[in-house]
Amino acid sequence: MSSSTNTPITEELPDTMRAVVVYGPGDYRLEDRPVPRPGDDDLLLRTDAVGICASDLKAYHGAAKFWGDENRPAWAERDRIPGHEFVGTIVAGGASALAKRGVNIGDRIACEQIVPCWECRYCLEGSYWMCAVHDMFGFKGYDGAMAEYVLVPAKALTHLVDKELPGPVAAFAEPLSCAFHAVERAEIKFNDTVVIAGAGPIGLSAIAGARQKNPLRVIALDAVDSKLDLARRVGADITINIAKEDAVARVKELTGGYGADVYIEATGHPSAVPQGLNLLRKLGTFVEYSVFKDAVSVDWSIISDDKELDVRGAHLGPHTWPAAIKLLEAGTLPMDDICTHQFPLEKFQEALDLVGDSAGSSVKVSIVPSMS
């Protein structure tokens, strides 16, 4: 197969590839699709691994956050290849694209999930992660990486990752960077008691990030003992099984009756929101990271008149990717026990179903297209 002189290729690319394609909620199919051909400003990656996120599952199940309702527009698209937590090896790219990113054919990169427009108010202000257009790999505007190959457009943000890391570990840079952003939003201080709700991929990542800030104590909440064991291994000082203990009472006991200074919500379960409001001290900080399937109601008087809380959202992982990748490359996190399950593309449905089993043994589930 011939190629343009502006698009160096290191291997003979096939005409078609296997890819998961979105037809609508509950209707994802494995198909043959054309292998994308990069233009002068693009790169083409051979997908090494793509993680499955809770947001992927909620989109699959038709949550209004993704598919829209009378109150919000849809931003998940049909005829789209999903997968936004990915890492891949560069197999083709325009000379200008390689030079601009300082990479070579054969390098491995991870991509930030948002593809900013670089023209709207937020992008021009430097807040690219809040881009008004908000195209994202796998959801809107650009195909994701649940496929053998993925195209990286000129507007995307990329980061070099060590080729020696296992693919699923390298792809974990995405949830880790997201959680690091939530930790930064919390503005953690040395004397703080920090409570993190949830010991799934985002919660564990937030615990690891909070540990880097070295507060007085990090407390992890979950209902699964095996996940709480893992929480201790990534940096939690204290763990509380919310199915066996009253988390609010225990946290207040540990803090002289006052409550926690910081609460980071990383479960996506509605009950975790009032839990956080109740266990925070007055003038505490609540950081919300989760994507909820349904609307959540709380007593707002706790936020205002009772405690004057600082409630902050956190979205994506701006400016935290280098730190996340550095921590993964250092090898200090128990990634073999975090990246628990890998599946080939043909078993994508099993992978999605496993992510939905919150009481099961899985932590991070990934698809590795090279698996047979």
Side-chain angles (χ1 to χ4, degrees), residues 37-321:
R37 274 6 188 214
D40 291 347
D41 297 322
D42 307 324
L43 299 177
L44 183 68
L45 305 185
R46 183 176 59 248
T47 304
D48 293 336
V50 53
I52 298 179
C53 177
S55 61
D56 290 315
L57 189 70
K58 288 168 184 172
Y60 175 78
H61 287 303
K65 162 73 177 177
F66 302 95
W67 294 101
D69 58 18
E70 66 276 9
N71 298 312
R72 68 163 71 230
W75 59 274
E77 296 175 334
R78 290 171 171 80
D79 197 31
R80 179 69 59 208
I81 298 171
H84 62 277
E85 297 183 1
F86 66 92
V87 65
T89 299
I90 303 170
V91 295
S96 60
L98 294 168
K100 172 186 173 183
R101 300 181 187 278
V103 295
N104 298 300
I105 300 295
D107 284 343
R108 170 188 270 178
I109 59 173
C111 297
E112 298 196 24
Q113 61 275 62
I114 192 167
V115 182
C117 72
W118 302 113
E119 297 176 355
C120 71
R121 171 181 177 175
Y122 302 107
C123 287
L124 293 176
E125 289 176 350
S127 302
Y128 71 88
W129 66 100
M130 298 306 299
C131 173
V133 177
H134 227 74
D135 285 339
M136 295 184 74
F137 283 110
F139 287 116
K140 175 177 174 285
Y142 297 93
D143 282 334
M146 287 190 194
E148 293 179 282
Y149 297 90
V150 57
L151 185 73
V152 179
K155 293 178 180 180
L157 296 106
T158 59
H159 303 274
L160 274 168
V161 186
D162 190 339
K163 288 184 281 189
E164 299 303 314
L165 282 178
V169 174
F172 198 75
E174 194 276 341
L176 189 58
S177 67
C178 288
F180 276 16
H181 179 51
V183 168
E184 290 210 323
R185 291 283 286 159
E187 296 185 353
I188 293 169
K189 301 177 180 63
F190 289 127
N191 201 43
D192 281 350
T193 292
V194 179
V195 175
I196 295 167
I202 293 293
L204 291 169
S205 297
I207 293 165
R211 184 75 278 153
Q212 300 293 308
K213 297 290 186 179
N214 200 31
L216 180 63
R217 61 173 70 92
V218 177
I219 302 173
L221 311 181
D222 204 283
V224 180
D225 283 332
S226 61
K227 293 181 179 179
L228 291 172
D229 290 340
L230 198 49
R232 282 189 286 271
R233 294 174 61 193
V234 301
D237 301 297
I238 298 167
T239 60
I240 300 172
N241 186 319
I242 61 171
K244 301 175 181 178
E245 294 186 75
D246 183 333
V248 175
R250 180 79 187 283
V251 169
K252 289 188 175 180
E253 176 188 342
L254 291 164
T255 56
Y258 289 100
D261 302 281
V262 172
Y263 180 84
I264 298 176
E265 199 290 301
T267 71
H269 194 283
S271 65
V273 179
Q275 171 183 262
L277 297 179
N278 287 319
L279 64 74
L280 278 169
R281 67 168 174 86
K282 294 180 179 180
L283 302 175
T285 299
F286 186 119
V287 179
E288 179 56 63
Y289 197 87
S290 296
V291 175
F292 292 95
K293 180 178 181 294
D294 300 306
V296 179
S297 297
V298 297
D299 180 358
W300 277 76
S301 62
I302 299 173
I303 298 168
S304 56
D305 191 50
D306 290 359
K307 295 185 177 181
E308 196 174 319
L309 298 177
D310 189 352
V311 179
R312 299 183 173 190
H315 178 56
L316 305 184
H319 311 302
T320 54
W321 281 75

